[in-house]
Amino acid sequence: MTLRDDLFAKVSEYARSQWAPIPQGRVVPTEYSLTHGNTGIHIDATVLYADIDGSTGMVDAMTNMMAAEYYKAYLECSARLIKDNGGTITAYDGDRVMAIFMGDVQVVDAVTAALQINWAVQEIINPTFTAVYQGRHRELRHNIGIDKSKILAAKIGVRVDNDIVWVGPAANYAAKLTSFENMDSKFQIRISEQAMQVLGLTHFTRTVDGTSVWEGPYSNLPRGQHYSTNCQIPL
């Protein structure tokens, strides 16, 4: 069988095969808990995407090594704070990281991680690079998107190159919230209406006057409204 024939056969198998019963998962699945073919696990989860803003301009203005230092610093801080708040890292993609939160307080945990990442950017990463590089320092900006929904986790890949595809609104819109056009860059964190319904506008408040930290709602996404904030939680 040629490679062409093999690909036709595999695509036909995916399109024509019946899906096995899909159980409801209570933990974040791994490639070892899933099988190939039309099988998967449903989870109720909150997805967080943390992404460097303007990374193309960064690599245009810096040496590759200097840009890599910014990437490594941002991803180190983001990943450590995600895991410290109970999140599971599911993917790194260039200058961004994807994480999944599960459990009874998953949205609170995800938002706490996001607000702490924002603090780390402003109080650790940028001051450190300013001190080291001074006039050559380029301010690191970032965006974080958070959404909640039911997600289907399915195994993909060939031979030893396996991974998981996360299929559901939250996996797409958390990423969309970090990158859609005309986004006001002064708000680093954006959360979907679906996640906000669980969180509640009053969960995080300003200590100065007791009002909500969230701005919005905004209606420029196909999947309902969303809210934004540039607040921080110090470590």
Side-chain angles (χ1 to χ4, degrees), residues 29-35 155-156 160-164:
T30 69
E31 63 176 273
Y32 305 105
S33 60
L34 297 166
T35 61
K155 190 171 184 176
I156 59 171
V160 297
D161 298 318
N162 298 309
D163 205 344
I164 298 176

Side-chain angles (χ1 to χ4, degrees), residues 10 46 85 153 180 200:
K10 182 57 69 175
T46 297
N85 284 283
F180 66 89

Side-chain angles (χ1 to χ4, degrees), residues 92-144:
Y92 291 97
D93 181 15
D95 63 342
R96 65 167 51 185
V97 58
M98 174 185 173
I100 286 180
F101 293 79
M102 295 183 65
D104 294 338
V105 291
Q106 57 183 260
V107 179
V108 174
D109 289 342
V111 173
T112 300
L115 296 175
Q116 289 180 345
I117 292 168
N118 197 30
W119 181 88
V121 169
Q122 306 306 327
E123 303 299 330
I124 297 177
I125 297 175
N126 278 321
T128 299
F129 280 96
T130 297
V132 173
Y133 286 109
Q134 300 181 7
R136 290 189 293 152
H137 166 62
R138 180 187 176 99
E139 181 187 13
L140 186 141
R141 300 188 62 85
H142 73 121
N143 300 300
I144 298 175

Side-chain angles (χ1 to χ4, degrees), residues 42-184:
H42 275 138
I43 58 173
D44 178 49
T46 297
V47 178
L48 178 151
Y49 265 92
D51 179 29
I52 293 177
D53 182 29
S55 59
T56 301
M58 180 180 292
V59 297
D60 285 343
M62 299 176 177
T63 66
N64 288 345
M65 289 178 291
M66 184 177 178
E69 292 171 10
Y70 281 82
Y71 279 39
K72 288 163 70 71
Y74 181 71
L75 294 174
E76 173 82 12
C77 291
S78 297
R80 292 280 295 275
L81 292 169
I82 286 166
K83 292 169 75 71
D84 190 63
N85 284 283
T88 299
I89 305 295
T90 57
Y92 291 97
D93 181 15
D95 63 342
R96 65 167 51 185
V97 58
M98 174 185 173
I100 286 180
F101 293 79
M102 295 183 65
D104 294 338
V105 291
Q106 57 183 260
V107 179
V108 174
D109 289 342
V111 173
T112 300
L115 296 175
Q116 289 180 345
I117 292 168
N118 197 30
W119 181 88
V121 169
Q122 306 306 327
E123 303 299 330
I124 297 177
I125 297 175
N126 278 321
T128 299
F129 280 96
T130 297
V132 173
Y133 286 109
Q134 300 181 7
R136 290 189 293 152
H137 166 62
R138 180 187 176 99
E139 181 187 13
L140 186 141
R141 300 188 62 85
H142 73 121
N143 300 300
I144 298 175
I146 297 170
D147 194 9
K148 181 184 185 301
S149 74
K150 178 177 282 190
I151 297 173
L152 171 64
K155 190 171 184 176
I156 59 171
V158 293
R159 296 181 182 175
V160 297
D161 298 318
N162 298 309
D163 205 344
I164 298 176
V165 61
W166 308 92
V167 184
N172 289 84
Y173 280 95
K176 186 71 172 175
L177 283 167
T178 69
S179 60
F180 66 89
E181 293 182 2
N182 302 319
M183 183 171 67
D184 187 343

